[in-house]
Amino acid sequence: MKKILIVDDEFLIRFTLEEGLKDRGYETQSAETVKDALEKMKTFHPQVILLDNRLQDSLGIDEISTFRSADEEVQVILMTAYGSVAQAVEATKRGAYDYILKPFDNDVVLSRIRHVKEKRER
């Protein structure tokens, strides 16, 4: 598993994640909106989507099913700065693989991605 799509409306978050993941051998692309992300999925075919919950055009939690419908194999990890246990449970119910609170350390993100990879290899 090498392809990660980052969907966040904050440039600095996208840039930091992209560079950190590229340094560890992942192919990355990023998108600012859900519409752009869906377009990129058609040619990039990511295995994991790092999806911010508060986007300019929608709430990430509401778009989990949109991404899973576009590719049922893709694993969505929801990222948010305004999280709660209830929201984490709801994200999982809607099809998210995992949930990360911002601000986060890149090692946390890498750990979650590795966990997705290990689960897929079982």
Side-chain angles (χ1 to χ4, degrees):
M1 176 180 42
K2 290 287 189 182
K3 293 183 177 183
I4 314 289
L5 179 60
I6 301 151
V7 186
D8 199 305
D9 57 355
E10 293 182 47
F11 171 79
L12 192 55
I13 299 274
R14 290 193 315 270
F15 178 79
T16 302
L17 283 169
E18 275 194 277
E19 293 306 307
L21 291 168
K22 283 179 184 177
D23 287 347
R24 287 164 178 88
Y26 292 95
E27 287 181 60
T28 63
Q29 286 193 14
S30 65
E32 191 172 343
T33 66
V34 170
K35 181 180 176 183
D36 290 342
L38 290 168
E39 280 301 310
K40 289 185 178 198
M41 282 183 73
K42 293 176 184 177
T43 56
F44 183 59
H45 307 291
Q47 287 88 27
V48 174
I49 296 175
L50 298 175
L51 175 62
D52 186 32
N53 191 42
R54 289 202 178 172
L55 300 166
Q56 289 178 357
D57 60 345
S58 63
L59 287 176
I61 198 167
D62 293 338
E63 300 296 345
I64 294 167
S65 61
T66 304
F67 289 111
R68 300 274 297 154
S69 293
D71 179 351
E72 63 186 36
E73 296 293 317
V74 73
Q75 298 298 316
V76 178
I77 298 174
L78 190 69
M79 306 180 295
T80 185
Y82 308 97
S84 66
V85 172
Q87 187 178 55
V89 170
E90 183 62 26
T92 303
K93 285 181 181 177
R94 293 186 186 202
Y97 178 80
D98 210 338
Y99 185 88
I100 298 174
L101 289 174
K102 291 179 177 179
F104 49 78
D105 184 275
N106 277 349
D107 289 338
V108 170
V109 175
L110 289 166
S111 172
R112 305 290 169 86
I113 291 169
R114 279 193 299 272
H115 193 258
V116 171
K117 181 181 177 185
E118 290 167 4
K119 183 179 177 184
R120 289 182 84 158
E121 291 174 350
R122 288 183 203 157

